Amino acid sequence: DTGVSQDPRHKITKRGQNVTFRCDPISEHNRLYWYRQTLGQGPEFLTYFQNEAQLEKSRLLSDRFSAERPKGSFSTLEIQRTEQGDSAMYLCASSPPPGPYGYTFGSGTRLTVV
Amino acid sequence: AQSVTQLDSQVPVFEEAPVELRCNYSSSVSVYLFWYVQYPNQGLQLLLKYLSGSTLVKGINGFEAEFNKSQTSFHLRKPSVHISDTAEYFCAALLGRQGGKLIFGQGTELSVKP
């Protein structure tokens, strides 16, 4: 197992464009999380899935953000009509079935909106 | 109210000196506590975690942390740091005992100087 994979590593896009990121979790982990991290800050929770079910979505997440995990394996995070404020590192993590486990994080996707 | 507070945003220290990175948590979170390390342009790596039992927890790379319930603290320590320990360190608490979302502190930048 190669851990949590995220693609792409870097994305530069023009304001107003749509972008999509992919996350492949550790295969036996049924929980998958998305976080956003801006410079000098800790990761901020966006949403998480248990299998294909989206269990929680942050109130900070605007309607321009949507996440899916259609088959309970990989997940995608889409941002529509990107704004400069969306520039950040988007981190994906996974964990085993419910319990007090730490997450395993991917290397992140750095988004720059110009 | 902030659930997890890291008291120092930056900690400069000389190589081979001891270091302590401070973390306090609010009583609104569970007592499942974690420390993560993040190297530049990478994801987060789990250093150690406290779930229950002994209040002194040992982790990777020679780090340890002590859980103090009365002071609601979970400070990270290392007796002798190396240049390679230069990184951002995040304290986190699990919100909910069944593997819900992790709440992160703002981070502490550890800078080890020769």
Side-chain angles (χ1 to χ4, degrees):
Chain A
D1 194 343
T2 56
V4 178
S5 299
Q6 291 189 247
D7 183 70
R9 288 295 307 276
H10 304 275
K11 178 70 176 180
I12 300 175
T13 191
K14 292 184 178 179
R15 188 172 47 188
Q17 296 295 305
N18 299 345
V19 294
T20 300
F21 310 140
R22 176 179 170 126
C23 172
D24 287 87
I26 293 173
S27 56
E28 60 267 28
H29 287 182
N30 71 345
R31 287 204 166 188
L32 185 148
Y33 308 82
W34 285 100
Y35 280 75
R36 176 172 61 191
Q37 185 181 23
T38 53
L39 200 62
Q41 298 296 317
E44 176 185 46
F45 171 79
L46 293 179
T47 188
Y48 85 95
F49 294 84
Q50 179 166 306
N51 300 314
E52 64 275 10
Q54 188 171 19
L55 295 187
E56 187 174 348
K57 186 175 176 180
S58 170
R59 278 173 279 180
L60 300 174
L61 210 60
S62 78
D63 292 341
R64 297 184 296 106
F65 287 72
S66 63
E68 293 183 342
R69 194 182 183 199
K71 297 183 179 179
S73 56
F74 72 92
S75 175
T76 58
L77 177 68
E78 180 183 18
I79 309 174
Q80 296 182 326
R81 305 181 303 280
T82 52
E83 301 172 358
Q84 286 191 321
D86 297 331
S87 295
M89 175 78 87
Y90 289 84
L91 294 166
C92 177
S94 68
S95 72
Y101 307 108
Y103 300 171
T104 301
F105 279 87
S107 298
T109 293
R110 181 166 295 285
L111 173 65
T112 302
V113 182
V114 297
Chain B
Q2 189 73 24
S3 299
V4 178
T5 303
Q6 292 183 241
L7 301 169
D8 307 290
S9 60
Q10 293 181 319
V11 173
V13 64
F14 287 106
E15 192 174 19
E16 297 184 6
V19 70
E20 178 179 82
L21 307 183
R22 298 180 294 167
C23 173
N24 284 91
Y25 65 94
S26 71
S27 57
S28 64
V29 300
S30 71
V31 291
Y32 297 147
L33 300 163
F34 306 82
W35 275 98
Y36 283 85
V37 60
Q38 186 177 35
Y39 299 100
N41 296 315
Q42 293 189 26
L44 282 74
Q45 180 183 6
L46 182 65
L47 274 178
L48 50 78
K49 58 186 176 185
Y50 173 77
L51 304 181
S52 64
S54 173
T55 57
L56 185 63
V57 180
K58 294 189 183 297
I60 63 171
N61 301 341
F63 284 93
E64 62 182 33
E66 184 159 17
F67 171 67
N68 188 318
K69 188 175 181 179
S70 63
Q71 297 186 4
T72 61
S73 68
F74 189 56
H75 300 334
L76 181 70
R77 302 186 182 103
K78 186 169 183 178
S80 176
V81 294
H82 304 288
I83 297 288
S84 59
D85 292 323
T86 295
E88 189 87 17
Y89 291 79
F90 294 96
C91 182
L94 192 63
L95 203 64
R97 294 178 179 271
Q98 290 305 313
K101 60 190 179 188
L102 273 178
I103 304 297
F104 286 86
Q106 306 93 316
T108 298
E109 182 183 345
L110 175 64
S111 176
V112 182
K113 304 175 187 302

